[in-house]
């Protein structure tokens, strides 16, 4: 089964998203959790041809969406019923702001996520079980142009950080020993994949190794390109440029 690729005009999709900006965030969609990702603006195109607009909650662990409609009702759909969807304006769980306050600008931008429109496609996938022949429809975020696509599944995960309190006193105003304080916060975990023109999913478990293995004839040129432009094989930006460059090298007109 081949994945859906831009089956609706980009202009129509962005128009729907712009209209979605005018919709209020319904109370029924305000909750977030470590597994759910909430976006203020979303457009979901179903296989039936219907289009849903409103705040979108993405449950990546079960590949389902909950869309808050203009009348405040919530419609839930699974990946098997979805053709494509696009979102913007992510809402972070409250605990994520602890991570933002303690990390550098690069990681903070990564956790906040891009404010541009993000398109998701549906592919049949074995859920990273190499020995299994069973596949089911799953959501993947599209990160480049193609024909070989770079895809991502971004998970919200709970992490724990510890810090030491040196200067504090008890209610009786007696000094105490340093105390370790544990804080739980929300971070992101990205997993990258390639989608072949035939619709197969290739996991990039070790991105550099697996990307070069997929493009063996272009491996030397990809490494030189990464070195010349200071691109990382472990970031969205670096991988997207490298996959696009590999696609360019594979074009028949390029010698």
């Amino acid at each position: 089964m081949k994945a859906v690729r831009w089956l609706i005009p980009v202009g129509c999709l962005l128009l729907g998203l712009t209209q979605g900006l005018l919709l209020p965030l319904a109370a029924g969609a305000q909750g977030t959790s470590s597994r759910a990702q909430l976006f203020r603006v979303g457009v979901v195109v179903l296989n039936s041809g219907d289009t849903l607009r409103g705040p979108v909650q993405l449950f990546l662990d079960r590949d389902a969406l909950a869309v808050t409609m203009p009348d405040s009702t919530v419609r839930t759909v699974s990946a098997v019923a979805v053709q494509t969807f696009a979102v913007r304006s992510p809402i972070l769980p409250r605990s994520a702001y602890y991570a933002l306050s303690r990390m550098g600008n690069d990681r903070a931008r990564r956790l906040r996520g891009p404010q541009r429109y993000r398109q998701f496609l549906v592919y049949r996938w074995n859920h990273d079980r190499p020995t299994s022949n069973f596949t089911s429809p799953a959501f993947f975020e599209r990160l480049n142009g193609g024909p070989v696509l770079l895809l991502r599944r971004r998970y919200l995960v709970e992490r724990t950080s510890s810090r030491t309190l040196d200067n504090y006193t008890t209610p009786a105003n007696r000094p105490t020993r340093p105390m370790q304080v544990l804080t739980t916060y929300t971070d992101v975990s990205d997993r990258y994949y390639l989608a072949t023109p035939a619709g197969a999913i290739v996991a990039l478990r070790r991105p550099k190794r697996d990307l070069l293995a997929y493009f063996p004839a272009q491996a030397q040129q990809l490494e030189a390109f990464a070195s010349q432009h200071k691109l990382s094989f472990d970031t969205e930006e670096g991988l997207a440029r490298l996959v696009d460059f590999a696609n360019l090298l594979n074009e028949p007109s390029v010698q």
Side-chain angles (χ1 to χ4, degrees):
M1 174 179 176
K2 293 186 179 181
V4 177
R5 291 195 184 88
W6 302 98
L7 295 183
I8 57 176
V10 175
C12 293
L13 186 63
L14 297 187
L15 176 60
L17 286 166
T18 304
Q19 293 171 341
L21 284 168
L22 303 177
L23 297 177
L25 179 62
Q30 287 181 358
T32 58
S33 69
S34 61
R35 292 187 175 183
Q37 301 172 53
L38 181 61
F39 302 89
R40 287 189 177 90
V41 184
V43 174
V44 182
V45 179
L46 304 181
N47 290 325
S48 65
D50 293 339
T51 299
L52 311 179
R53 294 183 175 90
V56 170
Q57 198 166 10
L58 167 61
F59 300 90
L60 203 58
D61 59 323
R62 57 181 183 270
D63 288 292
L65 302 173
V67 185
T68 302
M69 308 300 288
D71 62 0
S72 297
T73 60
V74 178
R75 182 166 175 182
T76 302
V77 292
S78 64
V80 70
V82 175
Q83 187 180 104
T84 183
F85 73 95
V87 294
R88 69 167 296 173
S89 303
I91 300 175
L92 295 177
R94 181 172 299 178
S95 62
Y97 291 95
Y98 172 81
L100 290 175
S101 68
R102 294 175 62 85
M103 64 178 60
N105 290 335
D106 290 342
R107 289 197 66 215
R109 283 195 294 269
R110 175 170 170 262
L111 181 57
R112 288 191 185 98
Q115 295 303 306
R116 57 176 167 77
Y117 300 110
R118 299 163 60 184
Q119 187 194 21
F120 288 75
L121 304 174
V122 178
Y123 283 84
R124 296 197 68 89
W125 177 47
N126 66 0
H127 296 266
D128 287 335
R129 294 188 291 267
T131 60
S132 173
N133 292 324
F134 174 78
T135 61
S136 61
F139 294 131
F140 293 86
E141 182 181 356
R142 178 178 182 162
L143 299 178
N144 76 321
V148 176
L149 296 181
L150 176 66
L151 306 175
R152 174 173 64 190
R153 283 174 65 89
R154 165 165 285 183
Y155 297 87
L156 295 185
V157 294
E158 295 297 312
R159 303 197 188 280
T160 301
S161 176
S162 65
R163 60 193 180 100
T164 302
L165 295 181
D166 293 316
N167 300 317
Y168 73 99
T169 58
T170 66
N173 204 33
R174 295 175 181 173
T176 61
R177 296 178 180 177
M179 180 175 66
Q180 290 291 117
V181 177
L182 296 179
T183 302
T184 300
Y185 63 95
T186 301
D187 201 352
V188 294
S189 175
D190 290 336
R191 300 178 191 176
Y192 295 101
Y193 302 83
L194 298 178
T196 72
I201 295 295
V202 178
L204 299 181
R205 294 181 179 87
R206 293 173 59 183
K208 181 176 181 178
R209 180 200 67 183
D210 295 339
L211 182 63
L212 297 180
Y214 183 80
F215 294 104
Q218 294 79 29
Q220 187 173 355
Q221 291 166 288
L222 286 173
E223 288 196 275
F225 185 77
S227 177
Q228 178 184 355
H229 297 279
K230 297 180 172 56
L231 301 177
S232 171
F233 283 83
D234 296 312
T235 66
E236 169 192 346
E237 297 82 1
L239 277 173
R241 288 189 62 184
L242 287 163
V243 175
D244 278 338
F245 182 60
N247 283 324
L248 180 66
L249 292 174
N250 275 337
E251 288 185 357
S253 58
V254 177
Q255 301 299 322

